Amino acid sequence: MSAPIRTAVIGYGFAGKIFHSPFISAVPGLELSAIVTNSPNPARSPQAAAEAYPSARILSTPEEAFADPNIDLIVVATPNDSHFELAARALRAGKHVVVDKPLSTSAISALSLISSAKSADRVLAPFHNRRFDTDTLTAKKLVTESTLGRIVSVTAHYDRYRPLVRPNTWKESGGIGGVNGLLFDLGPHLVDQAISLFGAPTHITASVRADRDVTDIDDAVNITLNFEVPVATGQAKPIRYDIGASMLASDPAPRLRMHGTLGSYTKHGLDPQEAALLGGKRPPSLNSQDPWLPEPEASWGTLTLGTKLTEPVELSRNPFPSVTGDYRLFYANVRDAINGIAPLIVSATDGYRVIRLLELTLQSGKEQCTLPVTFDL
């Protein structure tokens, strides 16, 4: 057994407290050694962190984590506009780095981080945890096994109803099209899910808006990504992938809908992990036999397949078992990548491509046109 990878989480706000610390603690081979927080908020304070993780040292500044030779991995769980600086400093200090999405706030700065990680021979991983949501894993299974035949279109939504601006949060400030709006909040998840399924898109068309009566951020986003996939004849066939996110959707659209030549899959509702975490539930150790939130059958998606394709067409419609989502798998993979026994599932290049697509989203929305997609990596 190799020594545990000693990990410091910078930030004990929503991301650090809910999405990072619990899963680091649940993955054998990782050790939550330190948490950096000096928040006056009682729920995010040094005292709160110490009570939740009594074996972790509580540090007041990132510099203490960077300078500690016993820390192997730094997790950046801070507001978006600090991601680049903290990740760059961690890499210069010789640490492996996980960065909460987005990897950075510009494609150029993301490329700089990738270059620094390569030079330092360190692992750099963007935290696109939603690849390990039940709906994304189930979609991956359907695509891999060709259950729906050739996919022709996908619609994916993260819809919320927040008609009023939330006070005292950085996510409600920064201007329309800024790095704190809905595009940089939910956009990274939605775009990453698309490229994890179908690779690099060829074109993008987008709208980024402020739909609420009062808002300081973009609170509505629609993106169409066009993919081309090879088929047996050697030709390329198109896939249209429509992404939507809104803060004015009191009746949300399906989370995911996929249409193919053999049938369709429709999934409503979100993966149960976030709600459980917000309710105070912690995941068990990945080595334990205790299950971690398998989705109840009542929440499964619906698989509709053509059983007779000639007219009149006949269809079968049945619940399709969801693949259980599990954010522990992200950190288990980071552990294995640091130990040199597996490649990253979510690579730094993926993180760069997501940011590049977010930048093209803003350009497409501003110019009201379809743009070709190009990458520098």
Side-chain angles (χ1 to χ4, degrees):
M1 292 290 291
S2 59
I5 297 166
R6 292 157 297 194
T7 305
V9 174
I10 301 178
Y12 196 64
F14 183 75
K17 180 177 181 177
I18 301 299
F19 287 111
H20 292 282
S21 298
F23 292 99
I24 294 166
S25 300
V27 173
L30 295 180
E31 175 184 285
L32 182 58
S33 301
I35 298 171
V36 179
T37 179
N38 58 9
S39 174
N41 185 322
R44 303 171 181 179
S45 66
Q47 181 179 352
E51 290 175 355
Y53 299 96
S55 63
R57 291 181 296 123
I58 308 303
L59 308 177
S60 58
T61 66
E63 286 73 17
E64 295 173 78
F66 299 150
D68 188 340
N70 294 315
I71 296 296
D72 307 300
L73 171 64
I74 296 288
V75 176
V76 178
T78 55
N80 294 348
D81 57 6
S82 64
H83 287 185
F84 171 75
E85 179 187 359
L86 290 171
R89 287 160 59 192
L91 290 168
R92 287 197 296 269
K95 312 299 186 184
H96 302 285
V97 182
V98 168
V99 186
D100 201 90
K101 56 81 190 170
L103 177 61
S104 187
T105 55
S106 72
I108 290 175
S109 60
L111 289 174
S112 175
L113 290 178
I114 291 171
S115 177
S116 296
K118 288 181 179 178
S119 297
D121 193 25
R122 300 290 90 179
V123 166
L124 172 65
F127 186 65
H128 291 298
N129 61 309
R130 297 285 181 181
R131 276 208 203 179
F132 301 91
D133 270 0
T134 179
D135 46 69
T136 310
L137 293 173
T138 304
K140 189 75 171 179
K141 175 181 173 69
L142 292 168
V143 171
T144 301
E145 298 179 356
S146 299
T147 305
L148 302 178
R150 176 173 54 82
I151 303 298
V152 297
S153 66
V154 180
T155 303
H157 276 253
Y158 280 142
D159 286 338
R160 297 170 170 171
Y161 187 60
R162 291 178 176 165
L164 302 180
V165 173
R166 292 169 294 164
N168 304 319
T169 173
W170 58 267
K171 290 188 177 184
E172 290 275 11
S173 64
I176 309 304
V179 299
N180 295 339
L182 196 64
L183 177 64
F184 274 80
D185 183 20
L186 298 182
H189 292 313
L190 290 159
V191 170
D192 180 70
Q193 289 164 350
I195 66 176
S196 75
L197 291 173
F198 301 114
T202 60
H203 292 81
I204 186 169
T205 312
S207 170
V208 181
R209 309 180 305 282
D211 280 355
R212 293 179 295 181
D213 292 332
V214 177
T215 184
D216 290 326
I217 59 166
D218 50 270
D219 55 23
V221 177
N222 291 93
I223 306 170
T224 297
L225 299 172
N226 297 107
F227 297 87
E228 290 186 356
V229 295
V231 294
T233 61
Q235 298 175 317
K237 287 287 190 177
I239 297 175
R240 177 183 171 119
Y241 198 114
D242 290 307
I243 288 169
S246 172
M247 288 188 177
L248 285 180
S250 57
D251 185 15
R255 165 65 193 96
L256 185 72
R257 177 167 281 158
M258 307 177 72
H259 297 303
T261 54
L262 298 180
S264 301
Y265 171 74
T266 301
K267 177 72 171 69
H268 292 267
L270 298 175
D271 182 284
Q273 293 181 86
E274 181 174 345
L277 293 161
L278 288 170
K281 188 176 179 65
R282 282 196 195 175
S285 169
L286 195 54
N287 280 353
S288 77
Q289 299 301 310
D290 298 329
W292 172 237
L293 294 179
E295 194 169 53
E297 185 172 348
S299 298
W300 289 356
T302 300
L303 181 67
T304 304
L305 296 176
T307 55
K308 178 175 173 288
L309 303 184
T310 57
E311 295 292 340
V313 171
E314 294 179 2
L315 300 172
S316 67
R317 184 174 286 107
N318 296 289
F320 187 77
S322 294
V323 179
T324 300
D326 194 341
Y327 301 155
R328 295 176 300 180
L329 300 179
F330 172 88
Y331 271 110
N333 176 246
V334 169
R335 174 201 62 196
D336 292 345
I338 291 173
N339 287 329
I341 61 175
L344 283 173
I345 294 173
V346 187
S347 70
T349 299
D350 292 335
Y352 154 74
R353 287 182 172 178
V354 166
I355 298 165
R356 171 65 176 151
L357 288 168
L358 298 185
E359 290 182 338
L360 288 172
T361 294
L362 289 170
Q363 182 183 348
S364 172
K366 182 177 180 179
E367 298 177 5
Q368 299 184 21
C369 67
T370 297
L371 297 172
V373 173
T374 58
F375 296 111
D376 292 326
L377 271 180

